[in-house]
Amino acid sequence: MTRTFTTLAAAALAAGLIAAPALAEPRSDVIVGMAIEPTGLDPTAAAPVAIGQVVWKNLFEGLTTVNENGDIAPQLAEAWHVSDDGLTYTFKLREGVTFHNGKPFTAETAKYSIDRIIADDSVNPQKVLYSAIETVEAPDAHTLVLTLSRPAYDLLYWLGFPAAVMVEPDSEATNATDPVGTGPFEFGEWKKGNQVTLTRNPNYWGEKPALETVTFRFIADAQAQAAALTSGGVDAIPEFAAPELVSTFETNDAFKVVPGTTGMEVVAGMNNAKPPFDDRRVRRALMMAIDRQAIIDATNSGYGTPIGSHFSPSDAGYEDLTGVLPYDPEQAKALLAEAGYGDGLQFTIKAPNRGYAERAAEIMQAYFAQIGVTATIESSEFPAKWLQDVFKDTNYDMTIIGHAEPLDIGIYARDPYYFNYDNPDFDATMTAIADATSAEERLAGYKKAQEILAEDVPALFLYAWPKIGVWNADLEGLWVNEPVPSNDMTGVHWSK
Amino acid sequence: MQTRPAVRRIAGNLVFLAASLLAVSFIIFAVMAAVPGDPAEIMLGTSAAPDTLAALRSELGLDQPFLLRYGDWLAGLMHGDLGLSYTYSTPVAALIGERLAVTLPLAGYAVALSLAIALPLGVFAGQRPGGPVDIVATFFSQIGIAVPGFWIGLLLILGVALTLGWFPTGGFPGWQAGFLPAITALTLPAIALAIPQAAVLTRVTRTAVIEVAREDFVRTARAKGASRMRALWRHVVPNALIPVVTMLGMQISVLMAGTVLVENVFTLPGLGTLAYQALAQRDLIVIQNVALLFAVIVMGLNFAVDTLYAVIDPRLKATR
């Protein structure tokens, strides 16, 4: 590490000495590579994470926001007050904010945006997260009051999420193709199948971004991503798709490789309603049969963080619980025998046709074989077929999938949900989190929730998806971690 | 007198073409309706509540009966209204129009390249079987047939684009950026598409030239004093073109399928990438229209090839 750093520093210094006179002005544009093109640019109308990765914080802003550490932070709301019973949220809204079309942002606009989310005919993909909101009032131009039907402290988190960004009423119908927000960048142009360009918003209420233009280029193929980086076709790939090609950039001084974590947890979900997975001992045995690091090595060239519960290191309040059920095949065998499966066990893993899931399935199959468990792998086309079979019909034994939704530990309390997991203790913990009226209380609740799942393993917790950032060595300010799918370009700048 | 059977034949072909397209449209629609995967569910993701899903399904018209939806699509097609993409929220016609501006030039470029390689190579190989040109041609066609286009594409990116730097590794600047940048971006993908096709065409041309050269009329021409070259260009090549054109017509569907993979390798915003994305997202309205368009292109070109025979080979005018 130190040597690499010294070399880098020396190279940077040398390059700086040579280049300094010629390049007095740093560049003011950046081209960012992404694997998936968003489908529409309105995060309040469709779920795909690629939408948020282009528009969230850049074009659109919310009342609150989630920062790089996964904490809740103010944005269009400067401050808020939660009533003692946890049912009234009063927001003080920022003054002097205008949308890109020149219309002012007021409490009325905020009321409009939130009413739209909770409306009966709303097609907001995350509507369920805001279901506690009963009424929205705007007593004056800069005050917004939300009245809830039940406590929901996480609401502050979800109000900072892409699905709850503030929209200007006149632009509602066209936001998917011509988005209008309050963010530091304005929409420029979308060449479908190719790129989206954003330009600096001269009237931004906050600190103006250093960049004048940001271009998001969509390159699905991992090899092509590497080629685009090498040839200078893109300056940065915040989520590089080919971990096996990272080493070529690690040894190249022109690039920085920045490993971080995302809010996506890769888990092997089990049908908890169905034998043998309704037996906790079996689930624990299967967890102990697996070496998580081996899966990470094989699927992601070692990038990724082993997890012991459904929480990611990028989430605020994360606890490392991988020690609860560590890799221990002997103990696993003993547990299986105790559960009455000493002679073995057979089931099917329905793996979505995604590289990471298929490779993980094969390795898990080998680990299971070591404790006398026979797993058959069945491929399932993702997303369409998988959503139908596994997610909707829960017609499966075990599957492997990355849960990309931020802070989604609450899915284990949902009914129905494809795990078919039912634990009143866990449900009560989630209710306690909702009832919280302070950040400390909320985080304490999440700590307990993580611990329950680590012991109970309704799904085998494998690893937190890595965010392998590869970018030009002169580029600064990109996020290392990604608690919410995003490419916040506000603070990005060229060092020379 | 001579033209009447040809006109009748073309008219008959046109009716057959229209009927086939109608049948194809129904098959495409039925298959897409039967394939698992609810577009609304994919758009809304795993957090969506049932009432949100219902709201979106009704907004997209997915709650309508099958035949009504099919009828709506056909009625729209008649008016040139292809509908609104679920995921892009943009008119499908405009979406397809933008993509055709990439895929058609790419396919045309590839065909031109493959003919430019295959015709001279095949003719000279056929003219002297076993000669040096023939050995090169045989080697080329064997490799070219064996290797898929997208893999050639990857090799070109690694071996040409990255080392020489003359061509971009992918992406498309758009025609508004100027002819030269656009055509430069299409060159490597066109080569990747052209090589497998040129390989097949080289082989067909070579065989045809060898066979035609054995025919009596060529021997007669030679006996009457035509030089070897004159016999080749005046008598052999025109007749050898018939199987080449036939093969070219058959290859068009292979070429269109090849664009899907090659466009993805080079991240070109063409019809192929659109189809690929739409399929993954179950953007049914886009897939239906793109699939139908592929069918129109393939069937239309086959029709054109069929008609072309009559021009190349007068014998076919009288028969059938």
Side-chain angles (χ1 to χ4, degrees):
Chain A
M1 274 304 266
T2 329
R3 200 171 57 191
T4 318
F5 181 74
T6 320
T7 322
L8 264 176
L13 190 68
L17 286 175
I18 300 160
L23 294 169
E25 279 283 298
R27 278 173 59 188
S28 62
D29 68 305
V30 71
I31 304 171
V32 178
M34 280 172 58
I36 299 169
E37 179 175 24
T39 51
L41 295 175
D42 183 353
T44 67
V49 296
I51 302 175
Q53 286 177 326
V54 171
V55 302
W56 187 67
K57 283 208 186 193
N58 298 325
L59 277 176
F60 286 113
E61 296 177 311
L63 292 177
T64 64
T65 192
V66 179
N67 67 18
E68 200 188 340
N69 305 320
D71 293 320
I72 302 164
Q75 198 160 51
L76 293 178
E78 283 177 311
W80 49 82
H81 176 259
V82 182
S83 66
D84 290 341
D85 61 3
L87 292 177
T88 309
Y89 284 60
T90 310
F91 293 89
K92 184 181 176 320
L93 305 185
R94 202 172 286 283
E95 297 184 28
V97 176
T98 51
F99 282 95
H100 300 147
N101 62 5
K103 302 272 170 64
F105 166 72
T106 62
E108 275 306 316
T109 346
K111 174 175 159 52
Y112 170 85
S113 299
I114 292 175
D115 278 337
R116 184 168 161 259
I117 299 173
I118 59 175
D120 286 341
D121 61 350
S122 157
V123 292
N124 191 297
Q126 314 292 350
K127 184 182 172 185
V128 64
L129 299 174
Y130 310 97
S131 57
I133 304 174
E134 203 162 57
T135 58
V136 187
E137 286 156 283
D140 66 60
H142 300 290
T143 309
L144 186 78
V145 181
L146 303 184
T147 312
L148 311 195
S149 56
R150 57 187 150 81
Y153 194 81
D154 268 348
L155 188 61
L156 288 169
Y157 186 93
W158 299 122
L159 286 173
F161 193 57
V165 292
M166 295 291 114
V167 295
E168 202 286 307
D170 293 344
S171 71
E172 178 201 321
T174 49
N175 271 340
T177 49
D178 188 9
V180 168
T182 59
F185 293 95
E186 296 180 343
F187 174 66
E189 187 192 10
W190 184 3
K191 286 188 194 162
K192 304 231 169 51
N194 207 9
Q195 59 185 40
V196 170
T197 313
L198 313 180
T199 57
R200 183 156 59 195
N201 169 9
N203 305 314
Y204 186 54
W205 58 267
E207 198 182 323
K208 309 263 181 308
L211 295 172
E212 260 170 53
T213 60
V214 176
T215 305
F216 290 100
R217 266 192 64 189
F218 311 111
I219 308 173
D221 185 80
Q223 297 278 352
Q225 284 188 356
L229 265 175
T230 314
S231 66
V234 299
D235 301 309
I237 298 190
E239 276 191 274
F240 188 57
E244 63 275 14
L245 299 177
V246 168
S247 55
T248 53
F249 293 102
E250 273 169 343
T251 51
N252 186 337
D253 291 347
F255 296 96
K256 273 192 281 208
V257 175
V258 186
T261 55
T262 70
M264 169 156 136
E265 296 92 358
V266 179
V267 306
M270 291 168 284
N271 195 343
N272 283 253
K274 195 176 161 184
F277 307 107
D278 55 350
D279 189 328
R280 183 173 116 130
R281 291 167 298 189
V282 173
R283 301 196 302 262
R284 289 170 70 93
L286 294 177
M287 185 74 258
M288 296 185 92
I290 296 170
D291 180 359
R292 298 170 174 98
Q293 190 59 47
I295 294 178
I296 295 172
D297 291 346
T299 58
N300 276 326
S301 298
Y303 288 97
T305 314
I307 50 170
S309 186
H310 198 101
F311 229 58
S312 154
S314 68
D315 291 324
Y318 167 77
E319 257 198 290
D320 182 359
L321 296 168
T322 45
V324 176
L325 297 171
Y327 174 53
D328 187 345
E330 288 313 311
Q331 184 71 27
K333 264 192 234 171
L335 264 174
L336 268 193
E338 198 186 310
Y341 294 99
D343 298 334
L345 176 63
Q346 288 189 355
F347 59 83
T348 304
I349 306 178
K350 255 187 198 159
N353 61 337
R354 287 290 183 270
Y356 73 93
E358 284 172 341
R359 279 188 239 174
E362 283 164 19
I363 297 158
M364 284 166 57
Q365 185 183 43
Y367 275 114
F368 290 150
Q370 289 181 355
I371 60 163
V373 170
T374 312
T376 314
I377 300 172
E378 196 182 297
S379 183
S380 179
E381 187 225 355
F382 188 84
K385 183 103 170 68
W386 185 88
L387 277 177
Q388 181 72 44
D389 275 6
V390 177
F391 192 75
K392 206 170 161 193
D393 298 343
T394 64
N395 174 23
Y396 79 108
D397 299 329
M398 182 183 277
T399 186
I400 298 168
I401 194 76
H403 281 267
E405 302 288 340
L407 201 73
D408 51 7
I409 194 170
I411 55 179
Y412 295 91
R414 263 187 221 172
D415 185 26
Y417 205 73
Y418 80 102
F419 302 123
N420 290 325
Y421 175 62
D422 183 24
N423 181 346
D425 194 18
F426 185 79
D427 297 351
T429 310
M430 291 313 294
T431 311
I433 294 169
D435 287 342
T437 50
S438 73
E440 294 74 34
E441 240 179 287
R442 173 178 174 266
L443 290 183
Y446 274 119
K447 182 171 184 285
K448 191 177 170 204
Q450 290 175 64
E451 285 164 1
I452 294 174
L453 293 188
E455 293 287 348
D456 223 19
V457 276
L460 307 183
F461 303 111
L462 304 177
Y463 62 97
W465 189 256
K467 176 183 171 302
I468 309 171
V470 183
W471 49 80
N472 189 303
D474 298 333
L475 198 59
E476 282 171 8
L478 281 158
W479 280 19
V480 175
N481 292 325
E482 197 179 20
V484 176
S486 63
N487 287 302
D488 181 3
M489 305 305 289
T490 320
V492 176
H493 60 275
W494 290 93
S495 63
K496 59 172 174 284
Chain B
M1 283 293 272
Q2 274 283 320
T3 53
R4 192 168 281 168
V7 168
R8 196 181 298 152
R9 188 163 144 248
I10 291 173
N13 280 354
L14 269 175
V15 172
F16 180 72
L17 183 70
S20 313
L21 281 176
L22 190 68
V24 164
S25 75
F26 184 78
I27 294 169
I28 291 170
F29 195 84
V31 167
M32 286 327 297
V35 163
D38 177 354
E41 219 163 71
I42 294 165
M43 280 175 78
L44 291 181
T46 51
S47 297
D51 62 331
T52 321
L53 267 173
L56 185 63
R57 300 191 91 241
S58 115
E59 200 180 293
L60 299 177
L62 289 167
D63 51 354
Q64 303 290 324
F66 172 81
L67 281 178
L68 196 68
R69 283 190 287 141
Y70 177 61
D72 276 352
W73 180 41
L74 282 192
L77 282 177
M78 297 301 153
H79 297 108
D81 173 16
L82 308 190
L84 212 62
S85 155
Y86 298 162
T87 53
Y88 275 127
S89 315
T90 328
V92 177
L95 214 52
I96 288 182
E98 281 170 26
R99 304 304 182 98
L100 274 179
V102 178
T103 300
L104 286 186
L106 172 64
Y109 195 176
V111 169
L113 279 178
S114 67
L115 287 175
I117 301 170
L119 290 184
L121 201 57
V123 167
F124 287 115
Q127 197 200 357
R128 287 190 197 281
V133 178
D134 190 29
I135 291 169
V136 171
T138 309
F139 182 69
F140 166 74
S141 58
Q142 272 172 357
I143 296 225
I145 289 168
V147 173
F150 72 90
W151 194 69
I152 299 176
L154 283 174
L155 288 186
L156 288 173
I157 291 177
L158 295 175
V160 179
L162 279 181
T163 50
L164 294 179
W166 297 345
F167 303 98
T169 58
F172 188 66
W175 291 102
Q176 71 275 17
F179 180 76
L180 200 66
I183 210 76
T184 311
L186 292 184
T187 298
L188 293 185
I191 294 175
L193 279 171
I195 287 178
Q197 198 182 31
V200 174
L201 290 180
T202 303
R203 184 172 279 189
V204 173
T205 311
R206 174 187 177 272
T207 315
V209 166
I210 292 175
E211 275 173 10
V212 176
R214 287 197 200 113
E215 300 263 351
D216 290 344
F217 67 91
V218 178
R219 206 172 301 146
T220 312
R222 289 279 284 152
K224 283 166 100 180
S227 71
R228 203 182 164 82
M229 274 299 146
R230 185 176 157 76
L232 178 72
W233 293 113
R234 180 79 183 80
H235 300 286
V236 176
V237 172
N239 286 291
L241 276 181
I242 294 165
V244 176
V245 170
T246 311
M247 185 44 82
L248 193 62
M250 286 162 68
Q251 285 260 293
I252 285 159
S253 50
V254 179
L255 183 77
M256 291 317 271
T259 58
V260 177
L261 291 169
V262 168
E263 282 177 6
N264 272 294
V265 167
F266 286 95
T267 54
L268 291 177
L271 215 52
T273 33
L274 182 67
Y276 183 79
Q277 269 180 3
L279 194 61
Q281 296 292 334
R282 291 291 191 273
D283 196 341
L284 299 181
I285 193 95
V286 171
I287 310 171
Q288 284 161 24
N289 286 303
V290 172
L292 188 64
L293 183 67
F294 271 120
V296 169
I297 293 175
V298 169
M299 291 163 91
L301 284 172
N302 281 337
F303 169 75
V305 167
D306 235 24
T307 315
L308 203 60
Y309 285 153
V311 181
I312 307 177
D313 189 350
R315 284 173 302 177
L316 287 174
K317 272 184 192 162
T319 55
R320 270 195 276 174

